[in-house]
Amino acid sequence: MIEENLLLILVALPFAAALATSTMSPRAHDAAAWVSGLFLAAGGVVLALLHGPIGAGQVVRGQIGWVPAPGLDLSFRMDGFVWLFVSLIFGIGILVLIYARYYLSKTDPVPRFYAFLMAFTGAMVGMVLSGNILMLVVFWELTSILSFLLIGYWHQGQAAREGARMALIVTGAGGLCLLLAMVLLGQIVGSHDLDRVLAAGDLVRAHPLYPLVLGLFLLGCFTKSAQMPFHFWLPGAMAAPTPVSAFLHSATMVKAGVFLLVRFSPVLGQTDLWFHLVTGTGMATLVLGAFFAIFRHDLKGLLAYSTISHLGLITALAGIGSTGAILAAIFHILNHAVFKASLFMAAGIIDHETGTRDMRRLGGLRHAMPVTASLAIVASAAMAGVPLLNGFLSKEMFFAAAADWNNGSWLDNALPYLAVLAGAFSVAYSLRFIATVFFGPVATDLPRAPHEPPALMRRPVEALVLICLVVGILPGLTLGPVLHLAAVSVLGPDLPYTDIALWHGLTLPLAMSGVALVAGLLLYAVFGRQIARGPEGPPLLHRLRAQKLFERGMFRLTWTLPRLGLRLFGTERLQPQLRLIVLLALAAAAVPLWGVLAPAAHPLSVPLNPAFAAMWGAGAACALGAAALAKYHRFAAVILLGGAGAVTCLTFAWLSAPDLAVTQLLVEIVTTVLLLLGLRWLPKRREEIAADRLLPARLRRARDFVIAGTVGLGLAAVAYVMMTSPLIPNVGDWFLRNAYHEGGGTNVVNVILVDFRAFDTFGEITVLAIVGITVFALLRRFRPAPESTTRSEEEAGLRDPTLAHALLVPSVIMRWMFPVLIVLAATLFFRGHDLPGGGFSAGVTVSIAILLQYLGHDLRWVEARLTVLPIRWMGVGLLIAGGTGLGAFVFGHPFLTAHARYVDLPLIGQVPAATALIFDAGVFALVLGVTVLMLIALAHQSLRIARLRERDRLAQKEREAA
Amino acid sequence: MEIVLSAAIGILAASGVWLLLRPRTFQVIVGLCLLSYAVNLFIFAMGRLMVGVPPIMPRGGFIDPTAYADPLPQALVLTAIVIGFAATALFLVVLIAARGLTGNDHVDGKEPEA
C-alpha cells in the first residue's frame, strides 16, 4: 500500500513542480531552480525508498480509476528496468537543473523554462511507469509536445521555430503510429494492461496482424529515437537551449524509443522480421550517423549525429535480442546518457564562454579552460570507447553480441564488420572534437575571450565524468546488481547473473576494439585537414539533406497542394456553395433510402378532414407565393411567409400539440416584426435586372427548380411513408409513464424540456444568449449603406400632421395591452409544468408586450418610461438556470436533477412547485433578454440614422455660412 | 390527413430550397424560414398524426401511452423552433451588416460580373 502511494507520488512530483514554477515571477531564477531541484530531490528519496521492494524482485503497482468503461485506468507499475530508467531521468534532471541555472541568461523568462522542463520530466516518468499501453501513448505524446515547446523556447529565432515544428511533426506522426499499434495490440491480447500484453508474446507473434502491428510500433520507436531515415529532426532540435539538448535529446526523450524496443522485445521480438527490421535499421543508423558526425563543423551538430549513431547501436542490440544483447542495450542506455549529457554540457560551456560552436574557429582552448578541457577529453574518450571508461564496456558487449552467431543471415554475418567500421568512425569524430577544440593553435578571433565557467556550472559535468570513470573501472561493484535486476525484469526471472568485468582476457571483442581504435586514429590523421576545409556534411551527400527534403515536402503538402485544390475545386461564392450543400444533403438521403423506401403494408390513416385540406391549400399557396415574390416584392413575401407560418401553427394545434402551437404563434409574431424591421435597410429593387431574362439565367433557374422539386418530392415521400407506418414503442412512452412521478408535471413536453432533458435546454438557452450578444455586437458597428440614410417619401409623408395622428388610437390600445400581456405571460409561465406554456412562451410574450410599446410610440417616449436592460436579463437568466443545476450538487445529485412537489397556497390551492420551475424562470429571463435585445438593437438603427442625418445637416449649414 | 400533410411538407421544402439557391440575401432568409417550417412539421409527424389526444395527462397514476400523443418529437420540435428563431435573427443581422459593408444584397457580397 505504501509502495503504491509512493509510485503515485513519484509521477505527481514533477508535475507539481511544473505547476509551482509556472506561477513564479519571470525574474525568479534562483527560486525556480531551487523549487524544481527540491521536487526532483524528493523524487530521488522516493526512488531510494522503492529500491527495497524492487531489489527483492517485486513489481510495484499503483492504480487510480480514470475511464473504467474502456479499461482506461491510470495504472502504474515499476520493475527493475523501470526503476533504473526513472533514476536516470531524475539524476540527469537534477544535474541539468543546476547547469541550466547558470546557462540561461538574466533576460530569459525562466519560469516557462523550468515549468516545461518539469512537465517533461513528469511526462517521461509517466511514460516509463505506465502499466497501461494506451496511457503509455498518452504520456508519449505529451513528451513530444513538451519537446516541441522546449526546442522552441527561444522562439524569436527562426531555426528554433523550424526545428521545433519538424520535431513535433516527425515524432507526433510516429506517436500516431504507435497509438494504432497499441490499439491493435490491445485487440489481439484482449487487454490494455501492460503485464498481460508482456505475457502474450506467443499469441501476438502468431497473429496474422503481427507484421502490421510490428511495422506501426517500429515507426513510433524509430521516429522518437531518431533512427534513419527519420533522424533529421534531431540535428534540427539542436536549436534548443543546451540544457534541453543534454536532457531530452541525448539522455532521456530519445531513449524512449529504445526503451520501448527493449521493453517489448519479449512480445514482438524473436522473429526474423524483427531481427532484420530492427537490427538493420539500427546498424544503418549506427554506421551512417557516425560517418556523418565526422563532417559536422558545429559542435552540437557533431554531438547530435553521434547521438543518432549511439541510438542506432542500442536499437541494433534490441534487434539482436539475445540475453547478452539486451543487457548491453540497457547498459549502453545508461552509459550513453552519462557521457553524452556531460559532452553536451561541455559544448554549452564552450559556446557560452567563447560565443561560437564552430569547430573551424575554435582552437587551443586547453590553455584558457584547462578543467573543462580535461573533463571533455575524458567524456569523449568514453564516447570513443577507450578502455577504463564506461563507454568501452558497453561497446565491448555490443561487439560480443555482434560477433555471436544469431540466425546466419547475410545481415548477421555482416554485423561484426559493420560494428568495427562504426567504431572506427566514432573514434575519428571523438578525436576531431578534442583535437580541434582544445589543441592546436590558440584561436584569436573569438567573439568573447574564453575563460573557465562558474564553478557550479562545471559541477554537473564533473559529476557525470566521475561516473564515467567509476563505472568504467569498477563495473561489477557499481552497476552490476542494478543492471542484473533490470535485465531480469525484461527477460524473465531465470536469467543467469552476468558479471560485467573490465578484463575478460584476450577475446575477439577486445581485438575488434583495438582495430577500431587504430583505424579511427589513422582515419583522422589522414583526412583531418581535408574534413575541416570541406563543406558541412559528408562528401557528395551533403547536398542531399533529409531535412531539406522534409521541408520541401511539408511545403508542398501544406501550401502548394491546398492552393491548387482550392483553385481547382473551391469557390468563394456562397451561391454555388449552398447548391453543393443542398445536393450533398440530397445525395446523403437518397443513397441509403434508394430502393428501401416502400409504403407500409397496413398503412395508418387518420380520416381526412376537408377543412384541413383547404387550410393547407391556402398554406401551400402562401409558400409558393413567398417563393415567387421574395425578389421584387419583399413586403408581400413577408406577409405570405407569415401566412404559411400561421397554417403551420394551426396544424400543430389540430394534431394534438398545443405547446408547439403556442410557441410557433409567438415566434411567428417576433420573426415577422424582425423581418419588417430589416426590410428598411435593403436596397430598392424596382427595375428588373436585364441579365435576368437572358438564357443563362433561365437555365440556372430551371436547374434550381429541378433541385428544389426533387428535394420537395423526396421529403414528401419519406414523410408519407413514415407517417403511415405503425409506430414502434419508443422512449416517448417512458417519458409519458414517468413524467408525473419523476418530474411532477402533467405536461409531458414541458417536463422533458425542463427536467428530463434539462441539460439540452441549458445548452439551447446558452446558444440563444450567444446569438443575442452576437447580434448586439454586429449592430453596434453597423454602418448603413448611403442610400438608406436618405429620407424616403413615406417618412416625409409622416410630417403631415394628419398622418402623424393616424396611429393615435392604435397606440392607446397598445399601451393598454401591456398589462394584459404581462398577466398572460405570468399565466403561461406558472401553468407551464401542467398545461401548455412554459418559460419560453412567457418570455416571448413579455417581449411582444414591450415590442408593442415600441411600435405604437416614439422610441424616446418608450425609453423614458420603460427601462429594459436586456444584457442583465440574459445574464441573470443564465445564472439562475446554471445555479439551479448546481444546486442539485448540494443534495448530492448530478447536475440539473430536479425536485418536484405540490404546495398548498391559501386562496389559490394546490400549486406545482418544482425546482424545474426555477430553471424555467431562468429560461424565461434569458429568452426575454435575448428577444428584446435583438428587437431594440434593430429598432435603434433608425435613431442612429436620424443622428447621422442631423450631423450632416449641421455640417452643410456650417459650410454655407463659411 | 397524412397525404395532405406530406404534400404540404413537400411544397414548403421545395419553396424553401428554391429560395435558398437564389442570389439575394432576402430570398435566402425567407427560404430558410420556409425550410424550417417543413423540417419542423416533418420531425413532428414522426410521432404519427393524432387528433384530439394532447400529451397532457391527468394527475397521478400510470397511464396507457398509446392514448396520448408522442411527447418526444414535440419536445424536439419545440427546441427546433427556438433555435430556428435564433438562426433567423442572426442571419437577418448578418444580412443587414453585409448590406452596409458591401453596398449590395447579393449573397456573394458583390454583383456578378455581367
Side-chain angles (χ1 to χ4, degrees):
Chain A
M1 191 60 213
I2 293 173
E3 284 108 28
E4 187 174 307
N5 288 336
L6 283 180
L7 215 54
L8 299 177
I9 290 171
L10 195 62
V11 181
L13 271 175
F15 286 116
L19 263 184
T21 46
S22 65
T23 55
M24 288 181 172
S25 139
R27 284 188 304 276
H29 279 244
D30 283 318
W34 271 107
V35 166
S36 323
L38 286 177
F39 272 97
L40 287 194
V45 174
V46 173
L47 276 171
L49 289 174
L50 281 169
H51 185 257
I54 297 292
Q58 251 177 286
V59 176
V60 182
R61 291 184 177 82
Q63 193 157 356
I64 312 173
W66 184 21
V67 192
L72 200 61
D73 291 324
L74 281 172
S75 78
F76 298 100
R77 69 185 282 288
M78 180 184 255
D79 54 21
F81 182 39
V82 174
W83 187 87
L84 194 64
F85 214 98
V86 175
S87 308
L88 175 76
I89 296 168
F90 274 91
I92 305 265
I94 289 180
L95 295 177
V96 163
L97 277 178
I98 300 171
Y99 179 79
R101 164 67 191 85
Y102 295 94
Y103 179 83
L104 292 176
S105 87
K106 290 256 182 296
T107 50
D108 286 324
V110 277
R112 194 151 56 89
F113 180 82
Y114 286 106
F116 288 162
L117 203 67
M118 287 300 102
F120 169 80
T121 313
M124 198 65 207
V125 170
M127 195 282 287
V128 174
L129 278 173
S130 283
N132 178 306
I133 54 174
L134 288 182
M135 212 180 70
L136 187 148
V137 180
V138 173
F139 280 115
W140 175 281
E141 289 289 271
L142 207 54
T143 60
S144 293
I145 292 166
L146 285 161
S147 156
F148 166 77
L149 292 171
L150 280 167
I151 298 171
Y153 176 67
W154 285 324
H155 54 81
Q156 302 86 350
Q158 198 193 354
R161 290 197 304 268
E162 278 175 2
R165 198 172 53 217
M166 192 160 60
L168 182 69
I169 291 172
V170 175
T171 55
L176 278 181
C177 295
L178 187 72
L179 175 65
L180 275 178
M182 290 304 185
V183 169
L184 286 174
L185 209 53
Q187 295 282 327
I188 294 171
V189 179
S191 164
H192 292 122
D193 189 59
L194 184 61
D195 285 306
R196 289 189 53 190
V197 172
L198 287 182
D202 294 327
L203 181 71
V204 175
R205 281 188 294 268
H207 199 273
L209 282 178
Y210 168 71
L212 180 66
V213 173
L214 181 64
L216 289 168
F217 173 82
L218 291 182
L219 275 177
C221 293
F222 288 170
T223 48
K224 196 77 157 187
S225 280
Q227 296 299 296
M228 305 247 172
F230 309 110
H231 65 284
F232 53 87
W233 70 264
L234 192 58
M238 289 302 129
T242 302
V244 174
S245 310
F247 191 35
L248 272 69
H249 304 124
S250 70
T252 55
M253 189 184 87
V254 290
K255 297 285 169 59
V258 286
F259 168 81
L260 225 53
L261 282 177
V262 172
R263 177 94 275 181
F264 279 77
S265 62
V267 189
L268 296 167
Q270 286 140 26
T271 60
D272 274 353
L273 189 63
W274 167 277
F275 176 81
H276 281 113
L277 281 178
V278 180
T279 313
T281 312
M283 287 313 283
T285 312
L286 167 65
V287 175
L288 290 175
F291 180 63
F292 293 166
I294 302 175
F295 298 95
R296 306 304 294 189
H297 298 313
D298 176 34
L299 267 185
K300 278 178 87 177
L302 184 147
L303 291 178
Y305 273 97
S306 150
T307 301
I308 291 170
S309 146
H310 280 274
L311 290 168
L313 188 153
I314 303 169
T315 303
L317 281 170
I320 294 170
S322 61
T323 51
I326 293 293
L327 189 69
I330 300 171
F331 194 24
H332 200 69
I333 288 178
L334 292 182
N335 288 339
H336 175 253
V338 170
F339 66 68
K340 194 51 69 66
S342 66
L343 278 172
F344 265 112
M345 290 180 187
I349 290 175
I350 292 165
D351 184 18
H352 209 249
E353 303 305 334
T354 65
T356 180
R357 298 192 317 227
D358 192 332
M359 282 193 279
R360 288 166 298 186
R361 295 179 67 187
L362 293 164
L365 279 182
R366 75 195 146 102
H367 302 294
M369 28 175 49
V371 184
T372 310
S374 19
L375 291 172
I377 290 167
V378 176
S380 0
M383 175 161 78
V386 172
L388 290 184
L389 292 164
N390 61 353
F392 170 73
L393 294 169
S394 40
K395 194 165 267 189
E396 284 263 296
M397 287 161 77
F398 166 61
F399 284 159
D404 273 351
W405 190 90
N406 293 296
N407 59 3
S409 60
W410 62 268
L411 180 62
D412 185 25
N413 293 333
L415 279 182
Y417 304 102
L418 290 173
V420 172
L421 185 65
F425 287 151
S426 72
V427 171
Y429 68 67
S430 305
L431 205 57
R432 173 160 186 235
F433 175 54
I434 297 167
T436 48
V437 174
F438 298 111
F439 293 91
V442 178
T444 47
D445 60 339
L446 292 174
R448 267 174 245 154
H451 55 82
E452 283 286 350
L456 269 170
M457 191 170 178
R458 228 170 41 211
R459 291 284 176 267
V461 191
E462 287 165 2
L464 288 169
V465 170
L466 191 67
I467 296 174
C468 284
L469 277 166
V470 173
V471 171
I473 296 166
L474 298 167
L477 276 180
T478 46
L479 276 181
V482 188
L483 271 181
H484 178 71
L485 269 178
V488 163
S489 50
V490 174
L491 294 166
D494 42 352
L495 182 79
Y497 190 88
T498 321
D499 188 30
I500 306 166
L502 191 55
W503 179 252
H504 286 288
L506 282 172
T507 52
L508 179 62
L510 189 66
M512 287 161 78
S513 281
V515 171
L517 265 175
V518 174
L521 278 171
L522 281 175
L523 202 64
Y524 184 68
V526 175
F527 293 109
R529 278 172 197 286
Q530 264 174 292
I531 290 167
R533 281 200 304 271
E536 177 121 35
L540 298 176
L541 280 174
H542 71 269
R543 286 179 202 284
L544 183 79
R545 298 274 297 281
Q547 206 170 331
K548 284 271 178 306
L549 285 178
F550 172 83
E551 266 160 20
R552 206 168 300 150
M554 284 311 287
F555 181 79
R556 287 260 162 78
L557 205 66
T558 58
W559 181 252
T560 319
L561 267 183
R563 301 281 302 175
L564 188 72
L566 193 66
R567 210 168 55 234
L568 285 182
F569 310 109
T571 171
E572 286 175 348
R573 296 175 50 218
L574 185 72
Q575 215 182 343
Q577 286 173 1
L578 272 177
R579 193 181 306 128
L580 273 179
I581 290 173
V582 169
L583 284 175
L584 271 180
L586 192 61
V591 168
L593 286 175
W594 193 260
V596 184
L597 199 67
H602 306 284
L604 294 178
S605 179
V606 178
L608 178 67
N609 189 326
F612 189 77
M615 183 178 85
W616 267 112
C622 281
L624 293 171
L629 295 177
K631 189 163 192 181
Y632 294 112
H633 307 278
R634 296 193 191 111
F635 184 68
V638 171
I639 302 298
L640 288 173
L641 180 70
V647 173
T648 307
C649 166
L650 282 174
T651 308
F652 285 139
W654 200 308
L655 296 174
S656 324
D659 257 304
L660 294 188
V662 170
T663 314
Q664 179 77 52
L665 181 68
L666 294 168
V667 165
E668 203 50 52
I669 296 171
V670 181
T671 311
T672 308
V673 173
L674 271 180
L675 287 178
L676 287 175
L677 283 173
L679 276 186
R680 189 200 178 305
W681 308 106
L682 290 171
K684 272 185 191 166
R685 191 172 301 290
R686 287 198 189 136
E687 73 283 8
E688 306 243 337
I689 299 170
D692 260 11
R693 291 166 177 278
L694 296 178
L695 187 64
R698 281 168 196 272
L699 278 179
R700 214 165 43 226
R701 278 201 294 270
R703 179 192 56 201
D704 291 348
F705 188 80
V706 172
I707 296 176
T710 318
V711 170
L713 278 176
L715 202 61
V718 176
Y720 183 74
V721 170
M722 283 303 292
M723 268 188 261
T724 50
S725 340
L727 188 61
I728 305 157
N730 59 36
V731 66
D733 298 346
W734 186 91
F735 285 133
L736 277 168
R737 283 206 193 89
N738 292 289
Y740 187 74
H741 292 280
E742 304 252 324
T746 55
N747 180 3
V748 186
V749 176
N750 185 272
V751 173
I752 291 177
L753 285 177
V754 298
D755 190 338
F756 290 136
R757 307 294 307 156
F759 193 65
D760 295 357
T761 310
F762 188 57
E764 183 195 346
I765 58 174
T766 313
V767 171
L768 264 187
I770 294 169
V771 168
I773 291 171
T774 314
V775 166
F776 185 65
L778 275 173
L779 286 179
R780 255 163 65 101
R781 297 263 163 241
F782 170 63
R783 291 286 168 272
E787 75 237 42
S788 307
T789 55
T790 55
R791 191 174 291 254
S792 63
E793 300 109 66
E794 292 85 358
E795 245 179 309
L798 278 179
R799 292 262 149 185
D800 190 341
T802 49
L803 280 176
H805 290 125
L807 274 174
L808 188 61
V809 175
S811 73
V812 171
I813 296 175
M814 286 176 193
R815 208 178 305 168
W816 281 104
M817 287 291 281
F818 189 72
V820 178
L821 281 172
I822 298 296
V823 172
L824 175 67
T827 318
L828 282 175
F829 177 74
F830 282 109
R831 69 178 211 161
H833 219 44
D834 282 350
L835 289 165
F840 182 78
S841 30
V844 181
T845 309
V846 174
S847 59
I848 290 175
I850 295 171
L851 179 68
L852 278 181
Q853 307 313 306
Y854 273 86
L855 280 181
H857 302 89
D858 187 50
L859 201 125
R860 293 192 180 89
W861 184 92
V862 180
E863 287 182 356
R865 285 159 183 78
L866 184 70
T867 315
V868 193
L869 300 165
I871 300 269
R872 298 228 181 128
W873 279 95
M874 282 162 59
V876 168
L878 261 187
L879 280 180
I880 292 176
T884 319
L886 289 178
F889 282 136
V890 179
F891 300 98
H893 295 293
F895 187 61
L896 280 170
T897 309
H899 175 73
R901 64 186 296 182
Y902 283 85
V903 188
D904 265 315
L905 285 186
L907 294 179
I908 299 176
Q910 272 208 332
V911 171
T915 54
L917 201 67
I918 308 176
F919 180 77
D920 221 12
V923 175
F924 164 77
L926 186 126
V927 169
L928 171 63
V930 171
T931 320
V932 171
L933 178 72
M934 292 193 293
L935 290 168
I936 293 182
L938 263 175
H940 265 242
Q941 297 309 317
S942 304
L943 201 65
R944 183 187 263 171
I945 295 284
R947 242 180 266 137
L948 278 176
R949 216 178 277 150
E950 187 71 11
R951 205 186 54 199
D952 288 351
R953 205 170 52 81
L954 285 177
Q956 181 83 20
K957 211 177 260 176
E958 263 172 40
R959 243 176 289 141
E960 277 166 15
Chain B
M1 292 292 254
E2 278 87 359
I3 191 92
V4 172
L5 190 60
S6 41
I9 291 173
I11 291 173
L12 284 175
S15 320
V17 170
W18 159 262
L19 282 176
L20 213 56
L21 301 175
R22 298 297 86 219
R24 302 293 155 185
T25 45
F26 188 74
Q27 291 175 304
V28 175
I29 198 169
V30 172
L32 272 182
C33 289
L34 286 174
L35 195 59
S36 73
Y37 294 149
V39 172
N40 286 347
L41 282 172
F42 181 82
I43 299 174
F44 170 67
M46 291 303 104
R48 308 301 183 267
L49 304 192
M50 303 241 181
V51 180
V53 281
I56 290 169
M57 316 180 299
R59 282 188 186 173
F62 282 98
I63 51 111
D64 172 22
T66 52
Y68 291 87
D70 192 347
L72 190 64
Q74 298 199 15
L76 291 179
V77 172
L78 197 67
T79 312
I81 293 175
V82 178
I83 293 290
F85 163 65
T88 309
L90 184 62
F91 185 62
L92 181 75
V93 172
V94 172
L95 176 162
I96 295 173
R99 156 85 177 115
L101 283 173
T102 63
N104 63 63
D105 67 341
H106 197 280
V107 286
D108 298 338
K110 56 183 178 217
E111 295 291 341
E113 298 94 24

